[in-house]
Amino acid sequence: MPLKQPRTGKLISFEGSEGSGKSTQIARLAAHFQKTHRDVVTTREPGGTEIGEQIRNIIVHNSKGDEMCAETELLLFTAARAQLVREVIAPALLRGAIVLSDRFLDSSTVYQGIGRNLAADPIAQINRFAVGDVMPDLTIVIDVPEEVSLARLKTRASDLPDRMERENVDFYKKVREGYLVLAKGMPERFIVVDGTKSEDAIEKKIWAEVEARVK
Ligand code: TMP
């Protein structure tokens, strides 16, 4: 699928560390758009396609998970992204939909680059190769302190923590700071919202920003 076609849809990505409340806010934002009768597609990374969900499984649940090197991790995340862009996101944007993605390329920049200390340039190149010209129109970072991330993770109902969730507080601190640095460098694309506020307050803030920025 050629990616360089005029698109009338908008891509909004949500970023933040684990337990930041992205999925709740994505559902709430989708509901706002649905009220205005917009075609809304929600998706998530890694995953969102059958191939992507299989890749997600390799990354987060495989029994040799802790032996996976950071380079492999990066290539798997970006492989899932390439599939998602071509199979789901680009076609939706071409037909004019609003696409809400739970994570997109900034997750690799932050988790593999800053969290795992991989060099920024190759990550940027690999990311670009994976997404083509499909860049987010807006990226919403839900910012929570690392202690809050970890505490929320522990209260999740799921059984055992997966390999990403087993990371320690320093890792989540780096992830949080990574997002804030990225957002500061690209204020035209990013907004940062305080994830410690109530769900209703966060929803209101996000909708106000989206209405102002996404025509
Ligand atoms: P989530 O479904 O809770 O957001 O978990 C996905 C995990 O994968 C989370 O720990 C972030 C991580 N991740 C990366 O490290 N790099 C990436 O490019 C993506 C998309 C996710």
Side-chain angles (χ1 to χ4, degrees), residues 136-139 182-191 209 213:
D137 297 284
L138 179 67
T139 298
L182 216 57
K184 206 167 172 202
M186 289 180 272
E188 65 297 338
R189 170 155 78 87
F190 277 86
I191 59 167
E209 292 279 359
R213 292 184 186 220

Side-chain angles (χ1 to χ4, degrees), residues 33-34 36-41 92 95-99:
F33 277 119
Q34 277 151 359
T36 65
H37 306 291
R38 285 298 297 252
D39 176 5
V40 187
V41 172
R95 67 165 197 268
I98 299 281
V99 180

